[in-house]
Amino acid sequence: AQSVTQLDSHVSVSEGTPVLLRCNYSSSYSPSLFWYVQHPNKGLQLLLKYTSAATLVKGINGFEAEFKKSETSFHLTKPSAHMSDAAEYFCVVSDRRGTALIFGKGTTLSVSS
Amino acid sequence: GAVVSQHPSWVICKSGTSVKIECRSLDFQATTMFWYRQFPKQSLMLMATSNEGSKATYEQGVEKDKFLINHASLTLSTLTVTSAHPEDSSFYICSAYNLGITGELFFGEGSRLTVL
């Protein structure tokens, strides 16, 4: 069975400091992994995805994530937080059929000035 | 890029009425679409998988007679909340699977349903 665990329900950073949002996965398949962002009362926007190509994936808005099979992790990082990054972030695992079966519980990122 | 559009984005209705939410893939054909429900400050819960030309597959615990799904064309899936009650108030999000991009789902902007 597939699952994702987002290790932090809430992360607070200061503007200009690095961001780290942690995600561990469990999958019986070679997984496809995604990070999505959701701003208040908005839909979901894809930040980046991993589909067995390069293990370091670069996404939009300066975010990137590294797939580490040995650690079953797919942590999301950004070197310097911006106020507009404050949102809810979801780690998602899907199988090769493209069925997004499992969403993580989400991590709320707060950015202070 | 691929776009998925939902309509309406916000609907308020009286208890007992039925509400239809549309999900359209605007620049690609989607044989499979997914419907999610999101409660305030919670994660997304997969409700059902909508397959073009066939019956939807519902997740355990989701009432298929309550949440009617129709996927009549390759670009449109609809979710009808029948005899809505206040506990059905939620944010409903659809996603569509783009066959041209392996494993990629595109999400709609979501539809907020408020049942009075």
Side-chain angles (χ1 to χ4, degrees):
Chain A
Q2 293 147 292
S3 67
V4 286
T5 302
Q6 291 184 244
L7 300 171
D8 308 292
S9 59
H10 197 168
V11 171
S12 296
V13 300
S14 298
E15 191 174 24
T17 64
V19 174
L20 170 64
L21 305 182
R22 298 183 294 166
C23 174
N24 287 116
Y25 72 90
S26 173
S27 176
S28 56
Y29 299 92
S30 181
S32 291
L33 292 158
F34 309 82
W35 275 98
Y36 283 89
V37 62
Q38 184 181 36
H39 288 91
N41 296 313
K42 295 284 188 180
L44 290 153
Q45 181 182 22
L46 178 66
L47 280 178
L48 50 81
K49 62 177 180 177
Y50 166 78
T51 54
S52 77
T55 56
L56 181 61
V57 183
K58 293 188 183 298
I60 62 171
N61 301 335
F63 285 95
E64 62 181 40
E66 186 171 6
F67 175 75
K68 292 186 176 180
K69 188 174 181 179
S70 60
E71 299 176 10
T72 62
S73 69
F74 190 58
H75 301 335
L76 181 71
T77 60
K78 182 173 181 177
S80 177
H82 191 273
M83 295 294 286
S84 60
D85 294 327
E88 189 79 11
Y89 291 80
F90 294 99
C91 182
V92 177
V93 62
S94 85
D95 61 19
R96 288 271 181 218
R97 297 168 295 176
T99 303
L101 291 176
I102 304 292
F103 272 73
K105 292 189 174 182
T107 299
T108 302
L109 175 64
S110 299
V111 182
S112 58
S113 57
Chain B
V3 176
V4 174
S5 173
Q6 280 186 242
H7 176 81
S9 55
W10 194 3
V11 56
I12 302 173
C13 69
K14 291 183 179 180
S15 185
T17 60
S18 294
V19 174
K20 181 185 285 187
I21 300 170
E22 295 185 346
C23 178
R24 293 182 185 273
S25 57
L26 296 185
D27 56 1
F28 65 98
Q29 294 183 331
T31 56
T32 304
M33 290 184 174
F34 307 92
W35 286 96
Y36 294 85
R37 183 174 183 176
Q38 185 181 31
F39 291 101
K41 298 185 180 181
Q42 294 191 28
S43 187
L44 280 74
M45 180 191 76
L46 180 64
M47 298 174 66
T49 302
S50 171
N51 302 296
E52 188 268 337
S54 64
K55 291 183 178 180
T57 304
Y58 290 82
E59 297 299 304
Q60 191 173 11
V62 178
E63 299 176 61
K64 59 182 179 182
D65 294 329
K66 174 75 171 177
F67 300 99
L68 299 178
I69 291 172
N70 184 279
H71 194 155
S73 77
L74 287 171
T75 59
L76 174 64
S77 175
T78 61
L79 168 69
T80 302
V81 182
T82 62
S83 187
H85 287 88
E87 58 265 30
D88 298 323
S89 299
S90 193
F91 197 52
Y92 293 89
I93 302 175
C94 75
S95 69
Y97 173 43
N98 189 335
L99 282 170
I101 303 177
T102 302
E104 181 147 12
L105 295 173
F106 294 92
F107 285 85
E109 290 271 320
S111 299
R112 181 165 301 285
L113 171 63
T114 301
V115 184
L116 303 176

